[in-house]
Amino acid sequence: QNFFIQSILTQLGYKSCSRQANHHLYIYIYILPAVQPRECSTRQKQFIMGKKDFQQIYRDLKQEIGGDLTCKISYYSDNFEPNKDFGGVVIYKKNDKAKWKNDAGKLKGHSGRSFYVILQKTNGWDVEQKGTGRMHPFVIENHMGIAKFSQIPVFCGAGFAYHDGKVKYHSIWLNSGTCCNKSYPSDGDKCLSYTEKKLVDHVVEQWKKKGKHSVFDIPYSLDRLLKGQT
């Protein structure tokens, strides 16, 4: 009986000991302190979240584009406003291509290429639009006219948000690999990788300065980081 209880406790992660006294079995259980999950920005995990190898994605995109990559904030995005919340999407590839033609939604008839950025204000959205696993597919559908579950084999990209004055790097839909995962594997974490975060930080900084319908370069130092030459 004692051995059975100790085995159960061991499987549960507890340390235990027991002793027999006066024909009564006494069990002493020492519960180890719970280990709190670390934030996704911890340095130890910085190269394994989001896409498994974003640096390879970046190099492949540059080769396909045939030159330096730029970032474009969509014309139909919203401009930055302090104290407002936004959902953001960076499209790396559509239908496994770094250049594409849009055939639905607001962008019907217009061409696109990496990195294409959509930022939409979410204040006033209901839970069906900005709940867990809903915000980023809604941003894409609202902008590009592709229904949520039709997006799964189409897009490879990054999802993020601007909330309470801070950038949030989470997206189950685009980052975890359980939903949209076209072209390149993810490690299953909803957080972006370290290098993807640096790209998003640059996008948000420029968006605040230049607003929607803007195109901007990737600086030399960031370019080196994104392609793995630091």
Side-chain angles (χ1 to χ4, degrees):
Q1 183 182 18
N2 187 21
F3 175 79
F4 173 75
I5 294 174
Q6 287 186 351
S7 298
I8 295 297
L9 293 172
T10 300
Q11 291 180 37
L12 292 173
Y14 303 137
K15 292 173 61 178
S16 67
C17 64
S18 65
R19 63 182 176 86
Q20 190 80 25
N22 299 324
H23 306 291
H24 295 284
L25 180 64
Y26 296 87
I27 304 296
Y28 299 88
I29 301 174
Y30 300 90
I31 301 177
L32 297 175
V35 178
Q36 297 297 324
R38 297 183 178 183
E39 291 295 325
C40 65
S41 59
T42 51
R43 193 174 183 84
Q44 289 84 350
K45 293 181 67 179
Q46 67 185 12
F47 289 109
I48 62 172
M49 297 174 294
K51 298 297 181 289
K52 281 187 176 181
D53 191 353
F54 179 68
Q55 292 171 335
Q56 184 61 57
I57 297 174
Y58 186 79
R59 292 191 294 267
D60 289 349
L61 291 173
K62 289 195 73 169
Q63 183 176 4
E64 186 175 342
I65 291 295
D68 292 335
L69 294 174
T70 59
C71 301
K72 176 179 175 60
I73 307 292
S74 167
Y75 173 81
Y76 294 102
S77 289
D78 293 314
N79 285 321
F80 174 73
E81 296 179 54
N83 304 317
K84 298 296 183 181
D85 297 331
F86 299 84
V89 169
V90 182
I91 298 174
Y92 305 157
K93 285 193 171 187
K94 181 186 177 190
N95 292 319
D96 204 24
K97 301 293 183 183
K99 297 180 180 180
W100 60 85
K101 195 80 170 179
N102 295 294
D103 51 12
K106 297 175 182 177
L107 287 173
K108 183 176 181 180
H110 296 277
S111 59
R113 53 169 279 180
S114 309
F115 292 110
Y116 193 84
V117 182
I118 307 168
L119 281 144
Q120 290 198 298
K121 186 164 57 177
T122 61
N123 300 88
W125 287 13
D126 60 34
V127 69
E128 292 301 317
Q129 298 167 328
K130 64 178 181 180
T132 300
R134 295 168 177 161
M135 179 176 67
H136 294 112
F138 182 76
V139 168
I140 294 174
E141 181 174 359
N142 190 35
H143 201 84
M144 306 183 79
I146 300 175
K148 178 175 181 177
F149 291 104
S150 297
Q151 296 170 18
I152 293 175
V154 173
F155 291 104
C156 175
F160 64 98
Y162 186 87
H163 180 68
D164 289 339
K166 296 180 180 179
V167 179
K168 309 292 184 179
Y169 307 100
H170 301 167
S171 176
I172 292 174
W173 188 251
L174 286 169
N175 303 345
S176 69
T178 57
C179 301
C180 291
N181 193 30
K182 184 67 176 174
S183 311
Y184 296 93
S186 170
D187 73 339
D189 198 307
K190 66 180 182 180
C191 298
L192 294 174
S193 65
Y194 175 76
T195 46
E196 287 176 294
K197 289 178 187 177
K198 292 300 182 183
L199 174 63
V200 166
D201 288 344
H202 177 60
V203 164
V204 171
E205 179 184 7
Q206 295 300 311
W207 166 61
K208 288 181 177 180
K209 293 178 181 178
K210 300 180 178 180
K212 66 179 184 179
H213 196 43
S214 59
V215 179
F216 45 89
D217 295 327
I218 295 173
Y220 176 75
S221 59
L222 179 59
D223 176 72
R224 287 182 58 83
L225 173 67
L226 297 183
K227 63 187 178 185
Q229 292 187 349
T230 56

